[in-house]
Amino acid sequence: MNAPVNPPKLYDCRDAFAATLERLAAENETIVAVCNDSVGSSKLGGFKSKFPDRLVNVGIAEQNMVGVGAGLANGGRLPYVCGASPFLTGRSLEQIKADISYSNANVKLVGISSGMAYGELGPTHHSIEDFAWTRVLPNLPVIAPCDRIETAAAVEWAASYNGPCFLRLSRVGVPDLLPEGHKFEVGKANLLREGSDVTLIANGTLTHRIVKAAEILAGRGIKARVLNMATVRPIDEAAIIAAANETGAIVTAEEHSIFGGLGSAVAEVVVDNTPVPMKRLGVPGVYAPTGSAEFLLDEFGMAPAAIADAAQALIKRK
């Protein structure tokens, strides 16, 4: 009888965000946090205790929150503007466009509990459009870290980057995938597994699922390349083109609508450079119903076994 396998420890990326922000704020007195009555869900309790005069809680007024962040940046502060991703992006899109992106303001937008992390609260709280809304805006890098290590590295990178960015974080626990000390490089994919038969691409909470899918495929004699594509814009075109040329088929998986998100961004690169068969896995253009994030991802065909099946079917189209 096989010995039981201990499951990997899961981490909430918000904890890594909060710890890193507090460390950076201790080193840089210009850093401030702005939130929409979300001190708890943004994990800003420690920041508030340590730097009470550097946290601005505007209440449930996301458009004002983004404007306050832009004003603070214009005054020489380095604001991290935090809120639940569906409300930070959806309610404030005009302000993000005009006050942040067009103005190239040095504001770090942090979308908390993205994707379907608020699953039990239903469609109004799902954030499955935020990639599409933000990645069309100039001057705005769009980043979805895959684990706590990449989250910390991306938060640190954002502090050193002179310009706006959007960090998309989940509250769903994920295992470590990258090594301690990993340095985030915007626009650069991480090769997590070599492969020559098909390429699997994901970011955020889906990355560990495509790693598991690749392991399933390996058991079937299929070698799957695995790319963590944390940066949706600017996307790593070189890694995508190489994957298309060297593996001949690409599957993307994302906690987002299949329209306008990571899969669309990858497909744009593929069709412009090296057309190959593709399969985009995500929410298929519907309002996701109420249910836990894990249930909804499985329901929409993003369980590791389902991803593996989609990849195996795609290989037949090569």
Side-chain angles (χ1 to χ4, degrees):
M1 188 174 181
N2 293 331
V5 177
N6 293 326
K9 186 174 181 179
L10 303 181
Y11 298 93
D12 185 336
C13 291
R14 297 177 301 167
D15 292 324
F17 158 71
T20 305
L21 186 62
E22 290 170 29
R23 175 176 59 79
L24 293 171
E27 301 167 358
N28 183 350
E29 64 181 12
T30 69
I31 289 178
V32 296
V34 186
C35 69
N36 59 340
D37 202 25
S38 61
V39 172
S41 61
S42 296
K43 299 278 188 173
L44 292 173
F47 189 98
K48 181 180 180 180
S49 297
K50 295 176 182 176
F51 315 104
D53 59 341
R54 289 159 63 184
L55 184 139
V56 181
N57 186 349
V58 304
I60 303 175
E62 288 79 9
Q63 293 174 331
N64 288 342
M65 176 178 70
V66 173
V68 167
L72 287 166
N74 289 340
R77 298 286 183 168
L78 182 56
Y80 281 75
V81 176
C82 311
S85 196
F87 311 129
L88 170 63
T89 57
R91 288 180 182 167
S92 311
L93 191 56
E94 182 180 357
Q95 284 70 30
I96 293 173
K97 175 184 176 181
D99 299 340
I100 306 299
S101 171
Y102 177 73
S103 301
N104 203 27
N106 192 22
V107 175
K108 319 307 171 181
L109 302 169
V110 185
I112 301 293
S113 303
S114 60
M116 295 177 288
Y118 278 132
E120 289 83 358
L121 296 179
T124 59
H125 283 62
H126 297 331
S127 191
I128 55 175
E129 309 89 4
D130 49 3
F131 280 154
W133 289 334
T134 55
R135 81 176 184 92
V136 300
L137 297 176
N139 304 321
L140 189 70
V142 177
I143 301 159
C146 71
D147 64 6
R148 67 179 179 95
I149 295 168
E150 188 168 40
T151 298
V155 172
E156 187 164 357
W157 168 85
S160 66
Y161 174 68
N162 185 25
C165 64
F166 173 58
L167 300 177
R168 186 188 199 249
L169 307 181
S170 180
R171 66 195 295 143
V172 176
V174 292
D176 287 346
L177 295 173
L178 297 173
E180 293 283 358
H182 169 75
K183 297 296 183 182
F184 179 78
E185 185 177 350
V186 70
K188 183 69 174 178
N190 306 123
L191 177 63
L192 300 183
R193 189 182 182 110
E194 294 280 5
S196 56
D197 296 323
V198 65
T199 298
L200 310 180
I201 301 177
N203 57 24
T205 57
L206 265 295
T207 309
H208 77 97
R209 287 180 172 237
I210 64 168
V211 170
K212 291 180 180 178
E215 293 169 355
I216 293 170
L217 289 168
R220 302 174 185 176
I222 297 171
K223 298 176 182 177
R225 180 175 303 185
V226 176
L227 293 177
N228 167 44
M229 194 70 67
T231 311
V232 178
R233 179 171 181 173
I235 203 160
D236 191 341
E237 294 191 6
I240 296 168
I241 293 169
N245 285 328
E246 295 166 13
T247 71
I250 296 175
V251 176
T252 60
E254 58 193 310
E255 195 174 2
H256 188 275
S257 169
I258 61 170
F259 298 103
L262 172 66
S264 295
V266 172
E268 290 160 12
V269 176
V270 169
V271 75
D272 282 349
N273 293 277
T274 311
V276 296
M278 272 194 65
K279 178 65 177 179
R280 292 172 297 133
L281 299 175
V283 181
V286 300
Y287 288 107
T290 302
S292 72
E294 292 291 323
F295 166 79
L296 291 170
L297 289 172
D298 291 351
E299 187 73 7
F300 287 121
M302 287 178 282
I307 296 171
D309 290 343
Q312 190 168 4
L314 185 67
I315 290 171
K316 298 177 181 178
R317 293 171 47 195
K318 289 171 59 173

